């Protein structure tokens, strides 16, 4: 898709309300930011565990095509990239199914928890903010968030009436490493107390470039074409709002590293049998030698030599959201919050333009929260959540049986102020049932409980301690998978006898939120009983036999950021993270754990210009699991320059963001296909956004 076609496709479309591109909230002033994903709408410096927020100009400049890439570089957050079309967030060494992605508190229902090559259906270019919850703060969202939660905020449903009755925004982007071309537009209008919002985005990108020493100029199959549009409306009153929105996303992206050389591989017990492979002469060809005869100029028609052999995903998601927040709804209650999402998701994996496998997910999620007024010194929230998913995979890679998963949860959080110390306790009980077309059924009832205390000195310093016992029920994939999964070059074996996974965790957070120097530093330890993971049982060349099993494991780590404002125009930060994940009794390391990082950032603002530069070192990861290889470290240098223009009632911003400016050859240890899909090489994105 060329730029002219993009322009035509969104000429009348719209996006997030202008406050999605409002003046940057100082990313280091946590005391100014209200975290909507917390039950009591606390400020970020009031939460008992670290909550990372990304919004305003910083989010605008850092947005990428995928959610994982957008969050990469934040303390404690990595990603497991799969080319340019899919990447999931990795929080403190853990990703799906232990990291849940939410849309303003409601579950995002797609197929991303099943495999890393499945995209998270959340469009970064339409987000007005992202909240990352780590530690026990995620307990109220269930076992699927036992490792963390990412709450994406959008403006598809208006919550306030636009000033002057109408507001609009438009943005265009061009990128060099993958020929990115993107247009975004949005409009919010109101008549009386009724507001309507429409938004849209069209983006096209080719296979991205990597350093020549990789062996190829591009990562074949790393392109990504996406279009998303949404229309929503709401009644907005003095005490709250009630609204509904419809969102549709269509996407097409390639699958790097996908190979059919192993289609006939199958298990004999815990060993692989790959008949006929000895005659194919793979040997050393599975490294970076992808062949240099192809010039990977991607035109998205899959007809050129080199592209017609790369499998790709064709995705379509339709979602209806209903949201409401209302103050003083009933005597004794100060707030009611309602979220519901209905999703119809489908993606097809195509080879030679023929559909090989089709994944479908028809799902809905309903969540109701009631916050009561202070009662005997207690202030808290209780609620109920119900989610249902009808998931199927049909075709050559149908390694999962059709299944229906139903999860019901009830939860309660209470706080009590005792002088400078605030005490907090929370519980959640779940009931999960999975039924499959194989006439197999699984029932689990996870129970989670946490307790915490935060001491506020009154001078900007605070210390928080959290203790939690959390449980997660196994997924249908972990229980019943059986078959070839070529996207990750694996044959998967589920285990129907798996039970609940239990985590005992401790989290300590030290903060300073006032003055020229402020920081958030966290240390944590998670002790898992029956940690469920995909164990590699055997390997033939690049193909692995994996079996889902459970062993006791621990995660121990630190993360944080220290910022000092030298003057109103100059600020410097130091940030980093490290996690050590290992098995307790059997010894050894867990697979795909990100390496430690340490870096620095500087911000300068002068005469309408804002300059941000950052450097961080990703260290070597040599603590590898069985059949895993070490991943070398690398240095990453990024920089952003922006300039603002005011035109009375409207404004504009020009920005230029460069990433991987030294063109480092960087491999991501958390990725299933790290050797086939290194990170994007040197890239410069030019953007222009206007608000009126």
């Amino acid at each position: 898709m060329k730029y002219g076609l993009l322009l035509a496709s969104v000429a009348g479309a719209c996006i997030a309300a202008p406050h999605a591109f409002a003046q940057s909230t100082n990313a280091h002033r946590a005391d100014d930011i209200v975290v909507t994903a917390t039950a009591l709408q606390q400020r970020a410096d009031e939460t008992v565990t670290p909550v990372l927020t990304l919004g305003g100009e910083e989010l605008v400049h850092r947005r990428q095509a995928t959610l994982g890439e957008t969050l990469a570089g934040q303390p404690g957050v990595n990603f497991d990239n799969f080319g340019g079309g899919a990447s999931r967030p990795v929080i403190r060494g853990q990703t799906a199914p232990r990291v849940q992605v939410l849309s303003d508190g409601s579950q995002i229902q797609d197929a991303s928890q099943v495999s890393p090559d499945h995209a998270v259906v959340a469009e970064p270019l339409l987000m007005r903010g992202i909240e990352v919850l780590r530690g026990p703060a995620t307990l109220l969202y269930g076992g699927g968030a036992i490792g963390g939660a990412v709450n994406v905020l959008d403006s598809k449903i208006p919550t306030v009436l636009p000033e002057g009755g109408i507001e609009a925004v438009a943005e265009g982007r061009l990128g060099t490493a993958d020929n990115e071309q993107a247009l975004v537009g949005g409009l919010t209008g109101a008549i009386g107390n009724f507001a309507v919002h429409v938004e849209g985005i069209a983006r096209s990108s080719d296979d991205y470039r990597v350093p020549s020493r990789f062996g190829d100029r591009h990562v074949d199959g790393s392109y990504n074409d996406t279009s998303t549009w949404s229309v929503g409306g709401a009644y907005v009153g003095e005490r709250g709002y009630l609204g509904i929105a419809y969102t549709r996303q269509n996407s097409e992206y390639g699958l790097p590293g996908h190979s059919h050389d192993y289609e006939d591989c199958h298990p004999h017990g815990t060993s692989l049998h790959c008949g006929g492979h000895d005659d194919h002469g793979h040997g050393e060809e599975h490294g970076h030698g992808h062949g240099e005869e192809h010039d990977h100029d991607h035109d998205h028609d899959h007809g050129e030599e080199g592209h017609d052999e790369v499998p790709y995903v064709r995705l379509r998601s339709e979602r209806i959201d209903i949201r409401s927040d209302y103050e003083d709804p009933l005597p004794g209650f100060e707030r009611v919050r309602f979220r519901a999402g209905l999703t119809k998701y489908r993606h097809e994996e195509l080879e030679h333009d023929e559909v090989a496998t089709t994944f479908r997910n028809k799902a809905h999620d309903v969540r109701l929260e009631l916050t009561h007024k202070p009662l005997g010194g207690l202030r808290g929230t209780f609620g109920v959540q119900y989610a249902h998913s009808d998931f199927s995979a049909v075709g050559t890679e149908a390694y999962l049986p059709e299944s229906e998963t139903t999860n019901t949860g009830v939860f309660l959080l209470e706080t009590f102020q005792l002088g400078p110390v605030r005490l907090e306790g929370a519980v959640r009980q779940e009931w999960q049932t999975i039924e499959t077309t194989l006439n197999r059924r699984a029932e689990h009832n996870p129970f989670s409980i946490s307790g915490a205390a935060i001491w506020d000195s009154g001078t900007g310093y605070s210390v928080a301690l959290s203790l939690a016992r959390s449980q997660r029920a196994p997924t249908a994939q972990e229980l019943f998978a059986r078959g070839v999964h070529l996207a990750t070059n694996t044959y998967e074996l589920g285990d129907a006898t798996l039970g609940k996974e239990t985590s005992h965790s401790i989290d300590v957070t030290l903060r300073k939120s006032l003055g020229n120097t402020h920081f958030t530093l966290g240390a944590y330890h998670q002790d898992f009983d029956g940690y469920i993971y995909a164990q590699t049982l055997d390997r033939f060349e690049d193909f692995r036999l994996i079996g889902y099993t459970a062993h006791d494991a621990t995660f121990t780590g630190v993360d944080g950021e220290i910022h000092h404002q030298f003057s109103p125009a100059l600020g410097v930060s130091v940030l980093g993270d490290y996690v050590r994940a290992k098995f307790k009794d059997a010894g050894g390391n867990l697979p795909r754990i990100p390496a430690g990082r340490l870096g620095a950032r500087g911000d300068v603002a002068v005469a309408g210009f804002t300059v941000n530069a950052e450097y961080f070192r990703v260290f070597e990861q040599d603590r590898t699991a069985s059949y895993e290889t070490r991943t070398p470290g690398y240095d990453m240098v990024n920089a952003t320059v922006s300039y603002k223009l005011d035109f009375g009632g409207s404004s504009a911003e020009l920005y230029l963001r460069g990433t991987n400016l030294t063109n480092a050859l960087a491999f991501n240890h958390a990725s299933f296909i790290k050797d086939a899909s290194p990170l994007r090489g040197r890239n410069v994105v030019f953007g222009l956004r206007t608000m009126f």
Side-chain angles (χ1 to χ4, degrees):
M1 186 183 298
K2 298 303 180 183
Y3 195 71
L5 295 177
L6 283 170
L7 180 61
S9 67
V10 294
C14 26
I15 117 174
H19 61 264
F21 299 92
Q23 297 291 323
S24 174
T25 55
N26 188 331
H28 306 288
R29 291 289 299 179
D31 52 322
D32 294 334
I33 303 171
V34 174
V35 181
T36 64
T38 57
L40 298 178
Q41 302 284 285
Q42 297 163 328
R43 299 194 313 265
D45 66 327
E46 293 178 324
T47 60
V48 295
T49 52
V51 176
L52 183 152
T53 59
L54 188 62
E57 292 173 0
E58 185 178 9
L59 174 58
V60 169
H61 299 158
R62 290 183 175 275
R63 293 173 304 173
Q64 300 289 333
T66 62
L67 179 62
E69 285 184 284
T70 299
L71 288 170
Q74 303 302 313
V77 185
N78 291 268
F79 68 111
D80 60 351
N81 67 298
F82 210 99
S87 73
R88 305 176 301 187
V90 178
I91 300 177
R92 291 180 166 179
Q94 301 183 54
T95 186
R98 294 177 185 85
V99 171
Q100 192 170 119
V101 181
L102 310 168
S103 175
D104 200 6
S106 178
Q107 290 185 17
I108 291 182
Q109 304 276 13
D110 49 29
S112 61
Q113 290 199 345
V114 172
S115 176
D117 66 307
H118 300 169
V120 178
V121 183
E123 176 51 63
L125 292 182
L126 296 177
M127 296 176 188
R128 64 179 175 85
I130 306 175
E131 301 167 344
V132 181
L133 282 70
R134 297 166 285 183
T138 63
L139 179 146
L140 296 186
Y141 290 99
I146 198 170
V150 177
N151 189 38
V152 299
L153 305 176
D154 54 58
S155 299
K156 63 177 66 173
I157 295 177
T159 60
V160 295
L161 300 174
E163 295 183 10
I166 189 169
E167 294 175 335
V169 66
E171 180 178 0
R173 288 164 52 106
L174 295 172
T176 61
D178 53 6
N179 297 322
E180 177 190 2
Q181 304 171 49
L183 285 175
V184 190
L187 179 70
T188 304
I191 300 178
N193 289 100
F194 290 92
V196 176
H197 176 77
V198 287
E199 63 185 26
I201 175 230
R203 179 182 57 247
S204 172
S205 64
D206 294 335
D207 293 340
Y208 63 71
R209 298 183 185 93
V210 291
S212 59
R213 56 189 178 278
F214 173 64
D216 279 351
R217 292 174 50 198
H218 304 75
V219 173
D220 203 12
S222 60
Y223 64 90
N224 182 6
D225 294 344
T226 299
S227 65
T228 305
W229 62 271
S230 178
V231 57
Y235 176 85
V236 182
E238 293 183 358
R239 293 193 291 168
Y241 71 93
L242 170 63
I244 186 171
Y246 170 82
T247 303
R248 175 170 162 178
Q249 181 174 117
N250 291 282
S251 182
E252 183 178 306
Y253 60 89
L255 296 175
H258 197 288
S259 174
H260 284 274
D261 293 335
Y262 311 108
E263 282 185 320
D264 64 345
C265 290
H266 56 277
H268 285 181
T270 58
S271 300
L272 267 177
H273 176 70
C274 299
H277 277 277
D278 292 340
D279 298 329
H280 293 173
H282 297 298
E284 299 177 354
E285 295 179 11
H286 284 280
H288 295 163
H290 304 287
E292 301 184 12
E293 69 274 17
H294 298 308
D295 185 7
H296 302 283
D297 293 330
H298 178 52
D299 66 355
H300 305 297
D301 64 4
H302 304 284
E304 289 189 34
E305 181 182 3
H307 284 289
D308 57 352
E309 295 182 359
V310 178
Y312 61 98
V313 166
R314 189 165 59 201
L315 181 156
R316 175 170 173 169
S317 174
E318 297 178 89
R319 178 181 173 97
I320 296 175
D321 283 281
I322 302 174
R323 301 173 185 168
S324 179
D325 284 271
Y326 202 76
E327 297 179 356
D328 296 322
L330 296 168
F333 294 94
E334 63 181 47
R335 184 169 171 266
V336 61
R337 189 169 188 248
F338 178 80
R339 297 290 185 270
L342 175 64
T343 301
K344 184 180 180 181
Y345 171 94
R346 182 189 72 197
H347 89 243
E348 299 165 332
E349 297 183 0
L350 294 93
E351 302 166 15
H352 305 286
D353 290 332
E354 297 292 333
V355 175
T357 310
T358 300
F359 292 85
R360 289 184 173 89
N361 190 12
K362 294 183 179 180
H364 57 270
D365 171 64
V366 180
R367 183 181 179 94
L368 177 67
E369 299 176 8
L370 279 169
T371 300
H372 66 77
K373 293 182 178 179
L375 181 64
L378 292 173
R379 180 172 179 260
T381 296
F382 64 92
V384 60
Q385 183 174 9
Y386 175 82
H388 178 84
S389 170
D390 186 349
F391 189 90
S392 66
V394 178
T396 59
E397 291 186 42
Y399 59 96
L400 294 173
E402 183 175 345
S403 63
E404 289 192 33
T405 301
T406 302
N407 185 289
T408 303
V410 294
F411 52 89
L412 171 68
L413 179 141
E414 293 289 345
T415 66
F416 184 80
Q417 194 70 37
L418 193 62
V421 177
R422 189 179 81 250
L423 304 177
E424 182 176 298
V427 295
R428 179 177 172 114
Q429 175 67 60
E430 294 182 66
W431 296 267
Q432 177 173 293
T433 302
I434 300 176
E435 296 182 342
T436 77
T437 52
L438 302 177
N439 293 322
R440 307 184 77 175
R441 177 185 175 93
E443 293 186 9
H444 299 89
N445 303 323
F447 175 76
S448 300
I449 184 170
S450 71
I454 181 169
W455 171 77
D456 189 342
S457 69
T459 60
Y461 290 93
S462 66
V463 180
L465 172 66
S466 302
L467 303 172
R469 175 191 179 274
S470 306
Q471 289 188 320
R472 180 182 75 89
T475 65
Q477 181 178 11
E478 293 166 332
L479 292 168
F480 305 119
R482 186 175 185 87
V484 173
H485 187 192
L486 292 179
T488 55
N489 285 333
T490 58
Y491 191 104
E492 298 193 12
L493 295 173
D495 183 353
T497 67
L498 291 173
K500 292 177 291 188
E501 176 183 277
T502 303
S503 164
H504 298 86
S505 62
I506 180 170
D507 198 299
V508 179
T509 305
L510 175 64
R511 296 188 183 96
K512 183 177 185 294
S513 57
L514 298 178
N516 292 327
T517 301
H518 39 274
F519 53 77
T520 299
L521 304 173
Y524 58 92
H525 177 78
Q526 273 188 291
D527 192 316
F528 282 91
D529 295 333
Y531 183 87
I532 302 171
Y533 76 106
Q535 180 184 21
T536 300
L537 304 173
D538 195 11
R539 180 170 181 168
F540 175 81
E541 298 179 346
D542 284 345
F543 192 81
R544 293 171 297 146
L545 172 64
I546 64 172
Y548 289 98
T549 186
H551 290 295
D552 296 345
T554 61
F555 286 73
T556 305
V558 294
D559 50 43
E561 179 175 2
I562 303 173
H563 176 82
H564 183 75
Q565 197 70 32
F566 289 94
S567 71
L570 175 63
V572 175
S573 299
V574 177
L575 64 158
D577 53 44
Y578 174 78
V579 58
R580 177 77 173 96
K582 60 183 181 179
F583 297 109
K584 289 174 61 177
D585 300 325
N589 306 302
L590 269 72
R592 294 178 298 281
I593 300 300
R597 299 178 296 183
L598 185 62
R601 292 175 180 155
D603 299 273
V604 178
V606 57
F609 285 93
T610 301
V611 180
N612 170 277
E614 63 182 7
Y615 161 81
F616 58 89
R617 172 69 181 174
V618 177
F619 298 101
E620 176 188 56
Q621 181 55 286
D622 57 2
R623 299 182 184 273
T624 58
S626 300
Y627 299 95
E628 237 182 14
T629 59
R630 58 172 288 276
T631 303
Y634 60 88
D635 298 298
M636 187 62 62
V637 178
N638 307 319
T640 305
V641 179
S642 64
Y643 183 72
K644 295 179 182 177
L645 300 167
D646 289 321
F647 306 101
S650 62
S651 63
E653 181 190 40
L654 292 167
Y655 64 89
L656 196 69
R657 177 163 174 82
T659 55
N660 195 6
L661 293 176
T662 63
N663 205 31
L665 180 58
F667 296 95
N668 181 3
H669 190 78
S671 172
F672 274 82
I673 57 168
K674 67 169 185 177
D675 293 327
S677 180
L679 302 185
R680 188 180 279 102
R682 183 185 297 113
N683 186 37
V684 178
V685 173
F686 172 79
L688 170 64
R689 61 192 180 98
T690 61
M691 296 174 290
F692 49 92

